[in-house]
Amino acid sequence: MSNILLAGGAGYIGSHTAAALLDAGYDVVIADNFVNSSPKSVERVEQITGKQIVLYEADVRDADAMKRIFREQKIDAVIHFAGLKAVGESVQKPIMYYRKNLDTVLSLLDAMQETGVNNIIFSSSATVYGEKNPIPYLETMPRGACTNPYSWTKSMTEQILEDAAKADPELSVILLRYFNPIGAHPSGMIGEDPQGIPNNLMPYVTQVAVGKRECLTIFGNDYPTPDGTCRRDYIHVVDLARGHVKAIDYIMQHKGVAVFNLGTGIPYSVTEIVETFERVNGVKVNHVYGPRRAGDLPEFYANSDKAREVLGWQTEKTLDDMCRDSWNWQKQNPNGYRV
Ligand code: NAD
Ligand code: UFG
């Protein structure tokens, strides 16, 4: 069976993907510098699956360290999750974001080329569609103008990977454009563990529900949407993880570059998320309506027909599942992986 390197695999999406790959019979190697994660997530994945992971503490920007891993582990494909992802911080510290997020892919490609590893899957984002494309987003639409440096690093990394594949016919690339991942493994053993004040909606909701934060501010209720709050395509992280397994199956058989949206195609508003969370879990989420957050689009969601038709992937989990599993993780781990 093939050996898959997850760069940044100790993080939220990486740890769920590791579990899904191990369950599907793949071997998993993780390289992570734990800048936004903990080795505990890797131990937990081993407990959930009953299988071993080879773990390297390494910075993916260190091409020599990556070459050593490729040589020692005979890697068949890489999934590249490693990077910084806080949109607001990227506006404050653009140079750091460009440096860190672009150096990771450049070093990985150098190391892959030198050691003959030819398959790479990249964690991209719906944000590359920019502000102007009509919804639902389709893979055939052009990348648009991004609204912040984080999003530009996703768009630029896509371009770098496409150019690298053009120059090297042996290189295969899959760009996975995630929509809004939420939820957690149903065991409650792994989940999203943001450091400090959460930037994203669901971890904020769960921290209010568990009493760590007082009140959620809903950013804007005057958008041109049915209830005035922004609508997004929330996807259960376990469905997203299964999408990576399908992408790995595919990349082993196909050459070239392929792009897939991974979303449900169903938008939900911020108010619907809060109401569903309260109903499913029987808990209160104190909230107030505040001003709009700069850079937010009123609404976006995926057309994921291509992933269904080409990869044979589709989502299975409902919004109720997403809310239940997010709460199950938070309740069991009020301080995340910290004791
Ligand atoms: P995360 O922060 O939980 O995981 C990223 C992992 O990469 C962490 O374990 C971190 O320690 C590691 N890392 C960062 N820089 C590194 C480096 N230089 N060397 C080694 N390891 C490094 O984030 P996530 O939510 O799991 O996201 C994974 C990927 O998916 C990211 O690239 C993110 O931008 C992308 N993405 C996430 C979302 C989302 O909403 N969560 C949406 C679209 C795309
Ligand atoms: N929101 C609130 N209050 C909060 C946090 C969020 O009302 O405290 C709202 C936002 O205004 C937005 C919605 O909840 O309307 C979702 O916000 P998130 O920050 O959870 O997600 P975004 O859609 O802004 O962005 C996410 C990821 C990006 C990624 C993008 C597209 O954070 O990395 O999806 O995939 F690029």
Side-chain angles (χ1 to χ4, degrees):
M1 211 9 143
S2 307
N3 206 13
I4 314 299
L5 175 77
L6 308 191
Y12 173 47
I13 302 169
S15 56
H16 288 82
T17 301
L21 284 167
L22 289 167
D23 283 343
Y26 287 100
D27 292 322
V28 169
V29 177
I30 287 179
D32 203 300
N33 65 359
F34 307 117
V35 67
N36 196 38
S37 58
S38 155
K40 282 209 181 113
S41 67
V42 180
E43 283 169 29
R44 300 261 183 106
V45 172
E46 292 184 326
Q47 284 169 30
I48 291 169
T49 59
K51 299 196 175 151
Q52 298 290 303
I53 292 172
V54 178
L55 176 62
Y56 287 86
E57 180 165 359
D59 193 318
V60 174
R61 292 177 295 155
D62 181 346
D64 289 334
M66 299 316 292
K67 279 178 215 162
R68 202 178 66 242
I69 297 172
F70 289 136
R71 289 202 183 100
E72 285 175 8
Q73 300 299 329
K74 292 200 182 332
I75 299 297
D76 297 292
V78 178
I79 309 182
H80 174 29
F81 299 99
L84 304 180
K85 61 164 188 175
V87 172
E89 186 185 43
S90 80
V91 176
Q92 304 302 319
K93 300 178 182 170
I95 297 163
M96 182 177 92
Y97 265 69
Y98 285 116
R99 169 70 77 196
K100 293 199 168 167
N101 283 2
L102 298 181
D103 271 356
T104 50
V105 70
L106 294 171
S107 296
L108 265 177
L109 286 170
D110 270 347
M112 287 171 66
Q113 196 171 39
E114 210 173 298
T115 54
V117 178
N118 288 323
N119 300 309
I120 181 165
I121 295 174
F122 174 58
S123 297
S124 190
S125 163
T127 197
V128 301
Y129 288 104
E131 292 183 279
K132 298 265 162 30
N133 277 307
I135 44 176
Y137 294 151
L138 261 176
E139 294 88 345
T140 46
M141 293 172 180
R143 285 189 288 266
C146 297
T147 53
N148 57 74
Y150 163 77
S151 302
W152 276 119
T153 68
K154 292 293 172 199
S155 187
M156 289 174 183
T157 302
E158 287 198 358
Q159 185 69 50
I160 290 168
L161 287 164
E162 285 172 358
D163 289 344
K166 217 178 279 170
D168 177 2
E170 287 303 308
L171 183 68
S172 294
V173 170
I174 294 184
L175 308 173
L176 295 180
R177 294 180 178 160
Y178 310 156
F179 282 68
N180 287 56
I182 59 172
H185 193 273
S187 64
M189 289 177 68
I190 53 173
E192 187 167 13
D193 180 22
Q195 320 286 305
I197 301 170
N199 298 298
N200 298 113
L201 178 62
M202 186 52 89
Y204 211 107
V205 166
T206 60
Q207 291 197 8
V208 171
V210 85
K212 283 187 78 173
R213 311 215 170 258
E214 287 217 339
C215 186
L216 169 76
T217 301
I218 295 181
F219 299 138
N221 59 351
D222 58 350
Y223 284 98
T225 58
D227 66 17
T229 64
C230 293
R231 300 209 303 172
R232 295 286 180 274
D233 183 339
Y234 295 94
I235 173 169
H236 196 297
V237 67
V238 167
D239 279 335
L240 187 66
R242 284 192 307 100
H244 291 73
V245 177
K246 294 286 190 183
I248 284 287
D249 295 343
Y250 183 85
I251 207 168
M252 299 300 186
Q253 314 287 335
H254 297 83
K255 291 262 155 255
V257 179
V259 187
F260 297 101
N261 289 336
L262 296 181
T264 65
I266 307 166
Y268 289 104
S269 75
V270 181
T271 300
E272 284 174 307
I273 295 290
V274 172
E275 287 174 358
T276 307
F277 189 92
E278 291 185 325
R279 173 179 55 74
V280 167
N281 298 314
V283 291
K284 265 304 313 127
V285 179
N286 293 330
H287 59 277
V288 292
Y289 291 96
R292 292 181 176 195
R293 182 172 70 177
D296 275 343
L297 295 176
E299 174 169 45
F300 60 81
Y301 55 99
N303 176 319
S304 287
D305 289 352
K306 185 177 173 196
R308 194 182 63 249
E309 285 158 16
V310 177
L311 298 180
W313 170 86
Q314 58 189 12
T315 57
E316 292 170 357
K317 307 265 189 187
T318 63
L319 185 61
D320 282 17
D321 297 327
M322 300 181 213
C323 290
R324 187 180 306 111
D325 291 337
S326 291
W327 181 229
N328 187 34
W329 152 254
Q330 181 75 72
K331 240 183 348 188
Q332 289 189 43
N333 306 271
N335 297 312
Y337 293 109
R338 292 164 296 277
V339 276

